[in-house]
Amino acid sequence: MRLFRLALSILFVSIFVVACSTVTYNPTVFNYHFDEAAVAENPPKKLLLASVNVTGEPTLTMLRKAVPKIDELVVERLENAGYSFAPGHLFDNAWNQAIYTYGDFYDPTSGKVDRRNWQAVMASTLSSLKDSGVDAVVFTDLIAHDAQHSGGMNHYARWYGVTRKPATQGAGTGVPVDFNWSQTIKAASLIVTLYDLDGRPLFASRGGLDTLSAIDMRKPHLGFVRRDKILKNNSFNEEGVALALHPLVKMSRYPGNIEDNSEEVEAAE
């Protein structure tokens, strides 16, 4: 019986070690901000999903079709963690009234955001929600940014906690050995920000989603072009959402350090 228990223990430990070893550390995970003290003191239970970006800038045209899908994944993950959501029209009404009062802060001609006006609109929106039963507002920003594939054997691209292989589209004979992998490409990521109704940032983080550039195998001179299909991989989207919500909702196989090296996030005061 002792030998059986010993063998069982060794088997359990072996399985545990193997399971843990499959979690690959990725140094590109975002240095999230998480105000644990504030969340512990007044735990937010009812959330409201914002219909605008926290940056004040509109979502890029090529990413807009993916916004509802990513938002749905964010809401689903938060609801599974015990949060509930208020109707979206509450935010829209408050936001539109704040814009009417203070004016729009985004100039589409220059692409610039008036930060002072942004703060006024944000503060007014959050303040007007205090009698709505909402505890905090969640902002989800889909962004495109520069990335790069490595020169290693697999040519992975790594950013914000994810690792992605080079994407190709169209039939071809393969990528030549002398292909220039140092080219800058575009990638998509998710920013999640949580504000309480006093304008205090409770949480902010980012998760990588997928590359937006692919090697077009149909061209005689191979190079990166915009992908035909944007953010269609559900597994990649779920991974990015999980990364962007950690540790507000803990990711079971989080690829970064557990320590919280929080960054400062702008308050809406």
Side-chain angles (χ1 to χ4, degrees), residues 176-208:
V177 177
D178 61 349
F179 182 78
N180 180 15
W181 291 103
S182 66
Q183 301 172 66
T184 299
I185 64 168
K186 289 296 181 182
S189 293
L190 171 66
I191 303 174
V192 173
T193 315
L194 183 69
Y195 278 94
D196 69 12
L197 301 188
D198 290 321
R200 178 170 47 179
L202 302 178
F203 174 78
S205 191
R206 301 185 181 195

Side-chain angles (χ1 to χ4, degrees), residues 29-30 34 68 71 76 78 108 120 123 195 225 231 237 240 263:
V29 290
F30 187 74
F34 186 34
D71 281 351
E76 180 181 13
L78 286 167
Y195 278 94
V225 298
L231 301 182
N237 292 339
E263 289 187 343

Side-chain angles (χ1 to χ4, degrees), residues 155-181:
H155 305 294
Y156 291 129
R158 290 186 172 90
W159 74 96
Y160 296 152
V162 299
T163 301
R164 301 289 181 250
K165 294 179 180 179
T168 59
Q169 56 192 36
T173 57
V175 181
V177 177
D178 61 349
F179 182 78
N180 180 15
W181 291 103

Side-chain angles (χ1 to χ4, degrees), residues 131-168:
D131 295 327
S132 65
V134 172
D135 299 315
V137 177
V138 182
F139 290 84
T140 55
D141 294 25
L142 271 186
I143 63 168
H145 54 85
D146 290 343
Q148 195 174 45
H149 287 285
S150 72
M153 182 179 297
N154 295 310
H155 305 294
Y156 291 129
R158 290 186 172 90
W159 74 96
Y160 296 152
V162 299
T163 301
R164 301 289 181 250
K165 294 179 180 179
T168 59

Side-chain angles (χ1 to χ4, degrees), residues 70-243:
I70 300 300
D71 281 351
E72 184 179 348
L73 290 174
V74 170
V75 170
E76 180 181 13
R77 189 165 179 84
L78 286 167
E79 286 182 335
N80 289 340
Y83 296 94
S84 63
F85 278 82
H89 68 80
L90 293 176
F91 178 86
D92 293 336
N93 293 341
W95 185 263
N96 291 334
Q97 181 58 49
I99 291 289
Y100 178 79
T101 302
Y102 295 99
D104 203 345
F105 48 76
Y106 177 71
D107 182 356
T109 304
S110 65
K112 294 182 179 180
V113 173
D114 184 326
R115 302 310 302 176
R116 181 176 296 180
N117 210 22
W118 172 88
Q119 284 192 322
V121 170
M122 283 283 290
S124 177
T125 299
L126 297 173
S127 179
S128 65
L129 290 169
K130 288 186 176 180
D131 295 327
S132 65
V134 172
D135 299 315
V137 177
V138 182
F139 290 84
T140 55
D141 294 25
L142 271 186
I143 63 168
H145 54 85
D146 290 343
Q148 195 174 45
H149 287 285
S150 72
M153 182 179 297
N154 295 310
H155 305 294
Y156 291 129
R158 290 186 172 90
W159 74 96
Y160 296 152
V162 299
T163 301
R164 301 289 181 250
K165 294 179 180 179
T168 59
Q169 56 192 36
T173 57
V175 181
V177 177
D178 61 349
F179 182 78
N180 180 15
W181 291 103
S182 66
Q183 301 172 66
T184 299
I185 64 168
K186 289 296 181 182
S189 293
L190 171 66
I191 303 174
V192 173
T193 315
L194 183 69
Y195 278 94
D196 69 12
L197 301 188
D198 290 321
R200 178 170 47 179
L202 302 178
F203 174 78
S205 191
R206 301 185 181 195
L209 294 169
D210 202 358
T211 56
L212 300 173
S213 303
I215 303 172
D216 193 340
M217 306 299 289
R218 297 163 293 195
K219 294 183 178 296
H221 302 289
L222 297 186
F224 286 103
V225 298
R226 182 185 296 183
R227 295 178 69 168
D228 294 335
K229 297 180 180 180
I230 301 294
L231 301 182
K232 294 295 185 181
N233 190 311
N234 290 331
S235 296
F236 286 178
N237 292 339
E238 289 172 359
E239 180 186 15
V241 168
L243 284 163

